[in-house]
Amino acid sequence: MIRFTVRSLLLSRVSRMDRGRVLDIQRRRLRSIVSHARMHSAFYREKYRGIDPDRLDLADLEPTTKSELMADFDRVVTDPAIRRADLERFLDDPGNEGRRFLGKYVASHTSGSQGQPMLIVQPRSLTELMFGFQMTRGNARKPTPTEAARRLLSPARLAIVTLKRGFYPSATVFQSIPAAARPFLKVLWLSQTDPDVVSRLNDFRPTVLTGYAGVLEELALHAEAGRLKLSPGLEQVVNNSEVLTDRARLRIESAFGRHVMNNYATGECTFLSNGCPTDAGAHVNADWAILEVVDAQNRPVPDGTPGSKVLITNLANTTLPFIRYEVGDIVTMAATPCRCGSKFPRVERIDGRTADTFWIEEGGRYRQLISSVFKNAFDYAREVREWQAVQVDRNRFVVRIELLQEASLDGPHLWRALDRQLEMYRYRGVVSVSIEVVDRLGPDPTTGKFRRIVSLVGPPKDLEHRLRVDPPHRAAGSGPATITSRAARRVSNQGP
């Protein structure tokens, strides 16, 4: 416990170092992980043949993808005792939840919502690192020896509200809280589907509340109605694993009176960042991870500009190295410093996955319909609690909306806002949109995460040959729209 405390406090100091010193630490650890991977992984030894770990630059390393790591899994891992078939059998058995694979590894898998799941094994020391980050860099209170002593005398009460336990990465993290961190925490883990979740939270009186954005927003509604009473003891609210919209942030912050710290991470690097305690976004833990925001050709994009994807390097996982690992997240890095004082790079926005976009057809060519069309329109609809855009045909969309309790829909106002967005982005007259009011929009039952962007048709198979590169002409006339009082059974059954 003493070792964990000292190491955690040192982690806090690094975030105040100047950028040059942090980059020196990062380069040293990059060379170390590449050297280790080449020595112990047949896959990386072959992939990075000719690379001198002592003199490499990040750009010298060819990116890796989920498909190639999974196809060659047994040669990627650095422990020859790990076999994909054994790991899959381990993860298929619910009785193994909370247990370590081969007695020493934390094992998980990604949801597979974007295709094939990624199997993940990591040393248990990585969970200690992650909790060290959370208790210092991800803490709303300033981490000091005095604060550590206070938490020993009065442990933080951490309430975790997710869908369920299992082998998805965030669940395995919470199931693997290191023994050294437990004296500082009392933990209540609830499912959002528990019928008594509100009363149990009231009884527990958490100082820290963490969950998916959709769950936090629903709890905020209970707080607004006076059913959930967490103040004044609640010190911190943390969003994990789901995109936090600006409006959801405002609603949660208003209900709880606390800034929402918005973590950004992936299963392949659970400690990638911690939410900024003063501003929007999250600070990348740049001493132990590298986040590159790039375009489709893996070229870096300027801060303030959304990328097409990110490349993530986990500098701590020596068992299953992830080096310049490609993830289809649309991320924008902050171009200005924030008020908290951290010198680490800050993720300003996460706008979902590249795969969570729509492809429409116009004049025999394809182009993207960006989700901002819907998001910006619903910013004007104060009566809407949640929305989901479903592509039911190539150029036909159904937007499903859930209203706030006792609210009524102002249909003409909403359509005018949506029509302005279609006009602005030059989709007017090209796509048709209908709006359907539903009683409830919930998370995907498999992943526990809510998806606002759902395509039932997917990207075109011949996309590369029919990609539109010229700017589309503004079309005359408005796309047809209808508003119905309840969702059609056909649409609702096809949703997630």
Side-chain angles (χ1 to χ4, degrees):
M1 186 190 69
I2 294 173
R3 176 183 53 80
F4 172 77
T5 303
V6 172
R7 289 186 63 187
S8 297
L9 292 173
L10 290 174
L11 288 174
S12 177
R13 290 179 58 189
V14 176
S15 65
R16 272 22 182 212
M17 290 181 180
D18 65 73
R19 182 176 177 82
R21 291 182 65 187
V22 174
L23 288 177
D24 286 342
I25 295 172
Q26 185 185 92
R27 279 191 289 265
R28 186 171 69 248
R29 288 179 175 152
L30 174 64
R31 290 165 182 169
S32 176
I33 195 74
V34 171
S35 179
H36 179 85
R38 290 180 73 249
M39 184 177 298
H40 299 283
S41 164
F43 169 84
Y44 281 109
R45 187 160 48 248
E46 181 177 309
K47 186 176 182 70
Y48 294 148
R49 183 187 292 116
I51 294 290
D52 182 355
D54 295 328
R55 298 183 179 181
L56 67 86
D57 289 321
L58 189 61
D60 296 334
L61 303 171
E62 189 71 22
T64 55
T65 64
K66 176 171 61 176
S67 59
E68 67 174 325
L69 296 189
M70 285 298 295
D72 219 357
F73 189 86
D74 290 352
R75 298 176 71 247
V76 173
V77 292
T78 60
D79 182 348
I82 298 173
R83 289 289 179 266
R84 174 177 172 175
D86 296 335
L87 180 58
E88 288 176 336
R89 280 192 292 269
F90 179 87
L91 296 173
D92 284 341
D93 184 356
N96 288 325
E97 291 178 12
R99 296 176 56 194
R100 297 189 181 98
F101 179 59
L102 300 181
K104 57 182 177 179
Y105 295 117
V106 178
S108 62
H109 58 76
T110 59
S111 66
S113 59
Q114 306 299 327
Q116 179 186 29
M118 180 71 212
L119 303 181
I120 302 168
V121 285
Q122 59 184 8
R124 60 183 181 181
S125 60
L126 268 66
T127 60
E128 188 170 306
L129 181 65
M130 200 212 79
F131 274 92
F133 285 143
Q134 191 59 50
M135 294 173 69
T136 54
R137 300 175 185 177
N139 197 331
R141 301 177 68 97
K142 187 176 181 179
T144 63
T146 302
E147 173 65 12
R150 186 180 79 88
R151 282 307 184 200
L152 275 178
L153 296 174
S154 178
R157 296 185 300 277
L158 170 63
I160 306 159
V161 188
T162 58
L163 178 68
K164 59 183 179 180
R165 297 173 185 255
F167 284 112
Y168 56 96
S170 57
T172 57
V173 164
F174 290 124
Q175 287 171 169
S176 305
I177 298 175
R182 289 187 179 276
F184 300 94
L185 292 169
K186 290 183 179 178
V187 178
L188 174 68
W189 192 346
L190 300 172
S191 169
Q192 66 196 75
T193 58
D194 291 343
D196 57 350
V197 61
V198 172
S199 61
R200 292 182 68 184
L201 284 172
N202 283 332
D203 291 341
F204 185 65
R205 295 177 296 109
T207 56
V208 181
L209 175 64
T210 185
Y212 298 155
V215 175
L216 295 175
E217 189 172 4
E218 184 169 340
L219 293 175
L221 295 176
H222 286 291
E224 290 172 351
R227 293 184 292 271
L228 182 61
K229 302 175 181 179
L230 303 185
S231 297
L234 185 66
E235 300 174 359
Q236 189 168 331
V237 179
V238 182
N239 172 56
N240 280 312
S241 305
E242 194 173 276
V243 173
L244 178 68
T245 64
D246 294 336
R247 195 173 62 175
R249 172 192 288 281
L250 291 174
R251 184 174 293 154
I252 296 165
E253 292 181 345
S254 174
F256 294 117
R258 295 290 181 268
H259 172 73
V260 179
M261 298 180 70
N262 187 23
N263 289 354
Y264 169 56
T266 66
E268 295 83 0
C269 190
T270 55
F271 53 85
L272 179 61
S273 75
N274 288 104
C276 180
T278 60
D279 291 57
H283 289 284
V284 178
N285 291 312
D287 50 341
W288 281 105
I290 303 174
L291 176 67
E292 303 172 73
V293 180
V294 298
D295 63 15
Q297 287 74 44
N298 297 324
R299 298 172 300 198
V301 302
D303 292 345
T305 303
S308 298
K309 56 184 174 180
V310 297
L311 303 177
I312 295 172
T313 301
N314 183 327
L315 299 173
N317 192 344
T318 56
T319 305
L320 176 54
F322 290 101
I323 301 173
R324 303 197 80 198
Y325 177 77
E326 182 178 308
V327 176
D329 286 350
I330 303 173
V331 169
T332 304
M333 299 301 295
T336 57
C338 65
R339 295 169 292 169
C340 78
S342 173
K343 301 297 193 299
F344 284 167
R346 179 166 58 94
V347 174
E348 184 173 68
R349 293 192 62 86
I350 307 105
D351 292 307
R353 291 286 176 95
T354 304
D356 291 338
T357 56
F358 299 127
W359 287 95
I360 63 171
E361 186 174 7
E362 181 184 7
R365 296 294 184 98
Y366 295 115
R367 66 182 177 111
Q368 283 184 304
L369 187 152
I370 58 178
S371 60
S372 297
V373 167
F374 302 108
K375 175 187 176 298
N376 295 343
F378 283 101
D379 281 345
Y380 293 95
R382 305 301 180 192
E383 70 273 26
V384 174
R385 190 193 83 82
E386 192 55 273
W387 60 271
Q388 181 183 66
V390 183
Q391 185 181 26
V392 295
D393 206 346
R394 181 59 61 201
N395 286 22
R396 187 163 63 89
F397 297 84
V398 174
V399 181
R400 310 165 71 204
I401 61 174
E402 175 190 340
L403 299 177
L404 291 168
Q405 289 184 354
E406 301 180 359
S408 58
L409 178 66
D410 185 346
H413 177 263
L414 176 57
W415 176 246
R416 285 194 298 271
L418 183 56
D419 198 41
R420 283 196 301 269
Q421 294 298 314
L422 292 171
E423 175 77 18
M424 182 183 303
Y425 290 102
R426 300 181 180 180
Y427 300 117
R428 192 164 173 247
V430 179
V431 300
S432 67
V433 180
S434 61
I435 299 172
E436 298 176 342
V437 179
V438 298
D439 293 324
R440 171 75 176 159
L441 286 172
D444 185 306
T446 302
T447 67
K449 301 177 186 179
F450 179 69
R451 296 178 60 197
R452 290 182 183 86
I453 304 300
V454 178
S455 176
L456 302 182
V457 297
K461 293 181 180 180
D462 56 345
L463 174 64
E464 293 183 1
H465 302 291
R466 297 172 61 192
L467 182 62
R468 187 182 190 117
V469 294
D470 55 311
H473 299 291
R474 187 179 301 273
S478 175
T482 60
I483 298 178
T484 58
S485 61
R486 287 291 180 266
R489 181 177 302 276
R490 173 181 55 81
V491 175
S492 118
N493 286 345
Q494 288 179 310

